[in-house]
């Protein structure tokens, strides 16, 4: 167990990434009660946006210098795709039965994957993502890769900014009102269409940040990464209590820690030798989800659905 | 020209027509009431006037402009406020935040603050509990908040949908007194009520709705003394 600090750090890093992506599910769900299953692909597009920025820069540019531009591109591409999805895929179905937007989301996911597969140069296989060179950093007894540091800095900044935005700004207040009672929000003079677009945009922007984090962490991206990332982040959002922005981050971190600890230690439990290692980590993630939902169907920080008007 | 003019308004939910061609108007400074049994179409009418529902046919003119196709948030901006049936306060926001949302379209910070203070004077309980989540208020207090919130937009016309619904007699009286007070201050009000006695006694004009149509119209006093109204709505036989 002397690698515990390392496992905790890995779990936290993974969890912060899940949490950032989970924000996208939870923001949109909180406002329109829609699960945007194409969100994983919005993140994937962001990753390719970031890569494009890197490829457009002159060869030999330092990654530290390139990073801001890559970030802007990733966020920009994700936001464009997110807003486009809302405008053209979901808005026409606003009053349709719930199954319709769900099926649309799945179709949109496949379409977005195929767009990259078909048109992005050499994207039929994984493309490598720029990496920070240099030694890993010692943090509280754990080795943290330089690329992972980005996440440890970006995730808290994003969360604090979002918390401030929702609680303190006029648009944030309008967002809370729309989430609690959309019709009455309209009666206050709130343009709820604009609020919905804003929710999609913020979620997508966080996805763009997570996309860069993913690339830096794993060193390569492909057109399929959105699927499992989206599924995990959706799990994190449900785990934390869908609709609750802090729940998304808590759910992400809990999920990340569970994966990392299960991968490292389950095989040491007598009788569980077969179920350890990375191959089982997704299984443990979903087992955790099921267990939490059995005890707390509303998720860890759960939205109080009962007082929804 | 009346402040609000409704001409042959028809509204449907899918194929079911809930409002089947009604006409009435509200002059500035008046209190006009719509009374009628459950399901008569009163709420449907108000929700259409404020833009939450789209009319099937007819014409709604407010303050000189046809607002049939206007979005709900734009109609508020024109000065039509709607305190909806069931109060619909934002339960997880504080009382102060609810009131601020009522002033969402206003830019005059000091004026907003002054009007919030005025709401606290009108309803002292709201001031005492301003920092509390609105969902913790009692039904009557929530009604006060809903009315206060609707007034925060400085409306030209205030629509109230059953403000006395589900309230104790004392609370009901308190709400009716407030409406009387607002009337005395010159507020134009379109009041939907099941409590016909109270509504008619303070209304300049009243309309009796029955399954989607206006069955009877008159001044508040006329309707209060009308035999059929007394039988149907004032509990006499
Ligand atoms: N969302 C809806 N979908 C379908 N039908 C509806 C809907 N809302 C109301 N109705 C129907 O429209 C008719 C008018 O309803 P409305 O709520 O306007 O009546 P009301 O006069 O406000 O009644 P109450 O006094 O009970 O509030 C009723 O027959 C009702 O069942
Ligand atoms: Mg009603």
């Amino acid at each position: 167990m002397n690698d515990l600090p390392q496992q905790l750090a890995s779990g936290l890093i993974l969890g912060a990434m899940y949490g950032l992506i989970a924000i996208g599910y939870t923001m949109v769900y909180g406002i329109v009660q829609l699960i945007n299953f194409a969100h994983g692909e919005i993140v994937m597009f962001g990753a390719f946006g970031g890569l494009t920025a890197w490829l457009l820069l002159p060869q030999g540019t330092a990654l530290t210098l390139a990073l801001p531009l890559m970030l802007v591109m990733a966020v920009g591409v994700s936001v464009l795709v997110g807003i486009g999805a809302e405008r053209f895929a979901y808005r026409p179905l606003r009053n349709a039965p719930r199954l319709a937007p769900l099926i649309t989301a799945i179709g949109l996911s496949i379409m977005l994957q195929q767009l990259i597969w078909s048109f992005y140069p050499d994207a039929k296989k994984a493309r490598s993502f720029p990496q920070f060179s240099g030694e890993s950093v010692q943090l509280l007894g754990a080795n943290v890769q330089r690329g992972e540091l980005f996440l440890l800095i970006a995730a808290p900044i994003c969360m604090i900014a979002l918390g401030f935005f929702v609680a303190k700004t006029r648009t944030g207040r309008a967002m809370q009102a729309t989430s609690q009672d959309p019709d009455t929000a309209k009666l206050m003079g709130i343009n709820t269409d604009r609020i919905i677009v804003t929710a999609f945009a913020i979620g997508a922007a966080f996805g763009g940040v997570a996309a860069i984090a993913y690339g830096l962490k794993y060193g390569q991206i492909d057109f399929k990464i959105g699927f499992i990332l989206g599924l995990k982040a959706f799990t994190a959002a449900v785990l934390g209590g869908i609709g609750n922005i802090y729940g998304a981050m808590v759910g992400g971190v809990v999920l990340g820690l569970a994966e990392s600890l299960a991968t490292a230690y389950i095989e040491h439990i007598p009788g569980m030798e077969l179920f350890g290692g990375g191959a089982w980590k997704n299984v443990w993630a979903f087992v955790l989800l099921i267990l939490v939902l059995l005890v707390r169907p509303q998720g860890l920080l759960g939205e109080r659905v009962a007082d929804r008007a | 020209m009346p402040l609000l003019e409704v001409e042959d308004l028809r509204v449907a939910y899918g194929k079911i027509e809930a409002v089947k061609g009604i006409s009435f108007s509200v002059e500035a400074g008046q209190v006009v009431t719509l009374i009628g049994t459950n399901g008569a179409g009163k709420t449907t009418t108000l929700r259409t006037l404020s833009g939450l529902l789209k009319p099937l046919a007819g014409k709604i003119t407010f303050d000189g402009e046809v607002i049939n196709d206007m979005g709900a948030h734009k109609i508020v901006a024109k000065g039509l406020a709607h305190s909806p049936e069931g109060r619909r306060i934002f339960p997880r926001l504080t009382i102060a935040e609810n009131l601020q949302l009522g002033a969402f379209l206003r830019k005059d910070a000091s004026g907003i603050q002054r009007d919030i203070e005025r709401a606290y004077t009108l309803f002292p309980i709201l001031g005492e509990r301003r920092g509390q989540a609105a969902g913790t208020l009692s039904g009557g207090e929530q009604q006060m908040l809903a009315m206060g919130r609707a007034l925060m937009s400085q409306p030209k016309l205030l629509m109230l949908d059953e403000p006395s619904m589900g309230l104790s007699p004392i609370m009901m009286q308190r709400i009716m007194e407030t409406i009387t007070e607002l009337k005395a201050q010159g507020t134009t009000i379109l009041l939907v009520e099941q409590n016909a006695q109270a509504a008619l006694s303070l209304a300049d004009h009243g309309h009796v709705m029955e399954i989607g149509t206006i069955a009877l119209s008159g001044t508040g006093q006329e309707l209060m003394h009308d035999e059929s109204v007394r039988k149907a709505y004032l509990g006499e036989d």
Side-chain angles (χ1 to χ4, degrees):
Chain A
M1 280 280 208
N2 49 7
D3 61 342
L4 185 63
Q6 186 63 51
Q7 300 304 339
L8 290 176
S10 306
L12 190 66
I13 288 162
L14 192 60
M17 189 168 71
Y18 292 157
L20 278 181
I21 304 173
I23 292 287
Y25 287 98
T26 231
M27 294 276 295
V28 167
Y29 185 86
I31 304 283
V32 278
Q33 283 78 57
L34 166 103
I35 306 290
N36 174 16
F37 272 119
H39 184 56
E41 275 61 43
I42 291 174
V43 176
M44 182 270 291
F45 257 69
F48 277 92
L51 178 63
T52 308
W54 171 253
L55 297 173
L56 289 176
L57 287 168
Q59 279 211 336
T61 308
L63 183 52
T64 333
L65 291 180
L67 197 56
L69 188 68
M70 292 168 65
L71 199 55
V72 167
M73 266 287 261
V75 168
V77 169
S78 286
V79 167
L80 275 182
V81 178
I83 289 177
E86 193 281 326
R87 183 67 193 80
F88 298 109
Y90 298 129
R91 191 180 298 186
L93 300 174
R94 191 82 54 78
N95 297 315
R98 280 185 167 223
L99 203 53
L102 198 67
I103 294 168
T104 302
I106 294 168
L108 185 61
S109 291
I110 297 172
M111 190 187 89
L112 291 172
Q113 288 187 20
Q114 290 305 310
L115 280 175
I116 291 291
W117 188 84
S118 305
F119 298 115
Y120 200 90
D122 297 324
K124 297 194 169 49
K125 291 207 188 94
R127 293 215 46 165
S128 60
F129 205 84
Q131 291 296 287
F132 279 110
S133 51
E135 294 289 296
S136 58
V137 190
Q138 282 294 123
L139 258 185
L140 303 169
N143 279 321
V144 178
Q145 303 297 321
R146 283 173 186 251
E148 296 174 334
L149 273 182
F150 168 77
L151 196 57
L152 288 182
I153 297 165
I157 293 177
C158 287
M159 280 312 292
I160 291 168
L162 181 61
F164 177 83
F165 172 78
V166 171
K168 299 292 179 204
T169 66
R170 184 167 173 274
T171 308
R173 186 72 51 74
M175 206 164 248
Q176 293 184 59
T178 307
S179 136
Q180 292 180 29
D181 188 339
D183 268 353
T184 308
K186 287 182 197 161
L187 295 181
M188 303 296 109
I190 294 167
N191 183 346
T192 51
D193 275 344
R194 257 190 30 211
I195 295 298
I196 292 169
V197 173
T198 309
F200 270 87
I202 293 175
F206 278 49
V209 176
I212 293 292
Y214 180 95
L216 292 176
K217 180 168 161 53
Y218 295 107
Q220 59 175 36
I221 58 172
D222 64 52
F223 69 96
K224 298 189 300 300
I225 58 171
F227 176 71
I228 196 74
L229 265 183
L231 199 58
K232 287 292 178 56
F234 171 64
T235 305
V238 174
L239 199 59
I242 191 140
N244 183 320
I245 55 172
Y246 298 104
M249 198 35 91
V250 169
V253 168
V254 168
L255 190 68
L257 287 173
E259 269 189 32
S260 150
L261 297 179
T263 305
Y265 300 124
I266 283 221
E267 61 193 359
H268 300 307
I269 301 173
M272 299 288 279
E273 292 81 0
L274 285 175
F275 303 108
W280 284 84
K281 68 173 201 273
N282 292 348
V283 174
W284 295 121
F286 296 118
V287 167
L288 175 72
L289 175 70
I290 292 166
L291 288 180
V292 168
L293 291 187
L294 280 177
V295 187
R296 274 184 72 83
Q298 73 275 43
L300 292 171
L301 301 195
E303 241 217 345
R304 291 141 297 178
V305 181
D307 64 2
R308 193 182 276 288
Chain B
M1 192 173 55
L3 179 60
L4 173 74
E5 178 137 42
V6 177
E7 293 166 83
D8 202 24
L9 180 69
R10 297 149 64 105
V11 192
Y13 297 101
K15 288 202 169 104
I16 302 157
E17 211 166 315
V19 172
K20 305 169 181 170
I22 61 168
S23 304
F24 67 94
S25 61
V26 180
E27 302 279 348
Q30 277 189 336
V31 173
V32 173
T33 184
L34 298 178
I35 58 174
T37 47
N38 289 113
K42 308 180 294 292
T43 298
T44 304
T45 303
L46 292 201
R47 288 173 65 82
T48 310
L49 295 180
S50 59
L52 293 176
L53 296 171
K54 290 295 154 212
L56 196 64
K59 189 164 141 195
I60 308 165
T61 315
F62 178 68
D63 200 20
E65 197 177 343
V66 177
I67 58 167
N68 279 27
D69 296 319
M70 212 180 259
H73 63 281
K74 296 219 172 97
I75 293 178
V76 189
K78 268 192 67 66
L80 206 169
H82 181 178
S83 172
E85 183 175 69
R87 326 186 223 291
R88 308 281 286 263
I89 47 102
F90 298 108
R92 294 188 294 277
L93 294 178
T94 66
I95 288 151
E97 287 168 339
N98 267 273
L99 290 172
Q100 278 156 8
L101 275 167
F104 186 74
L105 295 172
R106 288 172 61 186
K107 299 278 184 275
D108 54 326
S110 61
I112 292 172
Q113 202 46 49
R114 186 196 62 227
D115 286 354
I116 288 181
E117 292 304 328
R118 236 181 36 206
Y120 292 156
T121 317
L122 195 59
F123 305 113
I125 185 78
L126 298 183
E128 286 163 30
R129 301 176 64 177
R130 61 186 78 182
Q132 252 172 284
T136 64
L137 293 173
S138 77
E141 291 158 359
Q142 291 189 8
Q143 185 58 55
M144 295 174 182
L145 179 57
M147 285 170 64
R149 184 182 64 181
L151 285 167
M152 285 301 297
S153 65
Q154 298 181 308
K156 298 191 182 93
L157 171 62
L158 174 65
M159 301 198 296
L160 302 172
D161 195 344
E162 301 212 32
S164 74
M165 183 168 67
L167 301 189
S168 68
I170 293 175
M171 204 45 111
M172 188 182 301
Q173 199 187 352
R174 176 83 181 73
I175 294 290
M176 286 304 164
E177 279 166 15
T178 307
I179 297 171
T180 314
E181 214 171 303
L182 291 173
K183 178 187 177 182
Q185 291 167 11
T187 316
T188 311
I189 298 172
L190 177 56
L191 172 66
V192 162
E193 257 304 331
Q194 295 244 358
N195 182 350
Q197 173 79 43
L200 289 175
S201 68
L202 62 81
D204 297 298
H205 275 279
H207 306 278
V208 181
M209 281 192 79
E210 266 167 26
I211 41 175
T213 58
I214 290 181
L216 196 61
S217 301
T219 65
Q221 290 305 313
E222 281 166 8
L223 290 178
M224 218 155 47
H225 297 106
D226 182 278
E227 204 168 320
S228 61
V229 172
R230 296 183 76 85
K231 269 194 185 145
Y233 302 107
L234 302 181
E236 292 183 11
D237 43 28

